[in-house]
Amino acid sequence: MKAAVIVFPGSNCDRDLAVALRQAGFDVEMVWHKNRDLPGGIDLVGLPGGFSFGDYLRCGAIAARSPIVDAVVAHGNRGGHVLGICNGFQILTETGLLPGALMRNRQLKYICRTVPLVVRNTSSDFTSGFHDGQAIEIPIAHHDGNYFAEPETLDRLHGEGRVAFTYAANPNGSQTDIAGVLSANGRILGMMPHPERAADPALGGMDGRALFDTLAGSFAAA
């Protein structure tokens, strides 16, 4: 199993994501954003959290136009797995790989704390290790995590079971409490909370570890 973690100027969770993936059994390569091609044999692309390009213009907007992103989009469009966390989720919406947008938090303040989530999808390669309605605790750290989509898009996401996680207590104003969404084929996940920060006892929690172990298990089974 081979994963690529994309590194942008301002990424600050890239190594954390790489550590979590390696603990789950992935061979991980760090890929600089100016590269135009992904390494050969990549199974998963990870877009990490942070503040790519200083969040100038709009969170994720500049990163979404980096040279490597064309290859990431092509990987996703041909059915490859992509995981975008926090700023990575913002980038996924900017590329159109996932619907919606991430806006300023309702209270216009940066939020950094562990929050309770509810697992809403257990059929994807990212989430099948959880059970439906499971309560987990995962850290958030964002200023622009307020998920917005048009009503018809929200209806489609819920109707198709593409809402992966919701907030048990909405911290940022996200519509219908959305904390993470999946692509139509379930192989692209964007989420604002940071599972890589809850994947080791030394970090104070293990609820995020199941996501990485489940993903690794799905590749091993295939």
Side-chain angles (χ1 to χ4, degrees), residues 66-207:
S66 286
I68 193 61
V69 174
D70 286 343
V72 175
V73 171
H75 175 80
N77 284 338
R78 63 175 173 261
H81 290 73
V82 184
L83 172 62
I85 299 171
C86 196
N87 188 223
F89 187 10
Q90 295 163 343
I91 293 169
L92 288 175
T93 62
E94 288 287 339
T95 64
L97 282 173
L98 289 177
L102 283 306
M103 302 172 61
R104 290 284 170 89
N105 295 340
R106 175 176 49 199
Q107 61 275 64
L108 303 181
K109 293 182 179 179
Y110 179 82
I111 306 170
C112 183
R113 64 173 184 263
T114 297
V115 299
L117 303 180
V118 180
V119 180
R120 299 298 184 186
N121 174 295
T122 58
S123 61
S124 78
D125 289 340
F126 299 94
T127 59
S128 61
F130 299 100
H131 61 77
D132 188 42
Q134 182 176 346
I136 60 175
E137 293 193 348
I138 305 289
I140 58 171
H142 58 248
H143 192 276
D144 295 66
N146 182 351
Y147 184 79
F148 174 85
E150 297 294 337
E152 57 270 24
T153 300
L154 292 172
D155 289 344
R156 185 172 71 252
L157 289 173
H158 285 285
E160 296 176 355
R162 291 170 55 190
V163 175
F165 305 99
T166 58
Y167 297 107
N170 194 323
N172 53 31
S174 286
Q175 290 183 307
T176 62
D177 302 327
I178 287 175
V181 299
L182 291 154
S183 60
N185 65 3
R187 293 187 175 186
I188 301 173
L189 170 65
M191 58 186 298
M192 287 308 297
H194 287 266
E196 79 283 7
R197 297 186 182 182
D200 190 293
L203 300 177
M206 285 287 286
D207 284 355

Side-chain angles (χ1 to χ4, degrees), residues 9-22:
S11 294
N12 65 9
C13 299
D14 45 328
R15 286 180 290 180
D16 307 67
L17 179 55
V19 167
L21 289 168
R22 288 182 179 123

